[in-house]
Amino acid sequence: INDSEGHPSSSHQALKGTSKWATSLENLLEDPEGVKRFREFLKKEFSEENVLFWLACEEFKKTQGKKQMQEKAKEIYMTFLSSKASSQVNVEGQSRLSETILETPHPLMFQKLQDQIFNLMKYDSYSRFLKSDIFLNHKKCEEQEENSPEAQTAAKRASRIYNT
């Protein structure tokens, strides 16, 4: 839900940490700590390459200059897509890219594959992540921090300062 200027409404802005991660995979992937915890989970499931590929594609979209794009495209291809890839992702065979496309890279050349991997994570590993010990323990730690006497005291001090 966005306000008139397209910014998230205040109810969404108030969410942070695990509460925000639990609302969507997109929110999880926007938070460096969320990505770290999700990677930790995926590593245990032997599917960390999915999020690494997704992150590499996001980074690739920001790449400027043909030479840099060619280098990054080749790196992504060799790491995740080639039949000899060290961290091969599981994408539909017909959507595999041939090495010839690496000569003329463009920012969205991996988009279809990235979308496949995103959906795989969203409908498979993300729901398991939300039930995992990694997520639940992190959530418990957050709740303990929020309910600690120091946090409540700071909040009370802040409310006294702003309500005078």
Side-chain angles (χ1 to χ4, degrees):
I1 305 172
N2 293 330
D3 63 18
S4 60
E5 294 177 21
H7 300 288
S9 68
S10 58
S11 64
H12 277 295
Q13 287 175 327
L15 293 176
K16 52 183 179 261
T18 55
S19 301
K20 194 168 183 182
W21 305 347
T23 59
S24 72
L25 178 57
E26 291 88 340
N27 285 341
L28 172 72
L29 294 172
E30 287 173 3
D31 183 342
E33 183 66 21
V35 170
K36 179 181 169 188
R37 300 296 173 175
F38 193 48
R39 280 185 63 185
E40 195 180 318
F41 170 75
L42 291 176
K43 201 177 280 187
K44 288 183 176 186
E45 289 214 330
F46 304 101
S47 60
E48 184 187 22
E49 68 278 358
N50 291 336
V51 75
L52 294 176
F53 173 72
W54 188 88
L55 291 166
C57 291
E58 285 299 290
E59 198 58 39
F60 178 75
K61 291 176 194 174
K62 301 173 195 165
T63 305
Q64 301 291 313
K66 187 178 178 187
K67 186 87 177 120
Q68 287 89 334
M69 284 186 95
Q70 283 176 323
E71 288 169 11
K72 275 203 172 172
K74 185 171 179 150
E75 186 181 323
I76 289 171
Y77 179 82
M78 298 311 282
T79 306
F80 301 106
L81 301 170
S82 152
S83 58
K84 304 177 205 86
S86 56
S87 299
Q88 192 176 27
V89 289
N90 185 16
V91 288
E92 292 174 26
Q94 73 270 21
S95 60
R96 287 214 180 272
L97 302 174
S98 69
E99 281 190 64
T100 55
I101 197 168
L102 300 176
E103 299 305 314
T104 55
H106 58 88
L108 300 178
M109 67 187 282
F110 297 116
Q111 190 64 54
K112 186 177 175 189
L113 302 175
Q114 186 185 16
D115 290 345
Q116 273 187 43
I117 292 299
F118 179 85
N119 286 327
L120 179 70
M121 292 189 301
K122 183 174 183 174
Y123 297 110
D124 185 35
S125 34
Y126 174 64
S127 55
R128 285 195 310 280
F129 170 72
L130 295 178
K131 296 173 193 154
S132 73
D133 287 344
I134 291 172
F135 176 80
L136 296 173
N137 290 339
H138 194 73
K139 184 177 180 177
K140 193 189 300 181
C141 288
E142 275 184 357
E143 288 166 355
Q144 287 170 347
E145 284 175 19
E146 285 172 16
N147 296 327
S148 72
E150 297 86 30
Q152 290 177 350
T153 307
K156 285 178 187 170
R157 277 198 310 268
S159 69
R160 276 199 303 267
I161 292 167
Y162 295 111
N163 291 331
T164 54

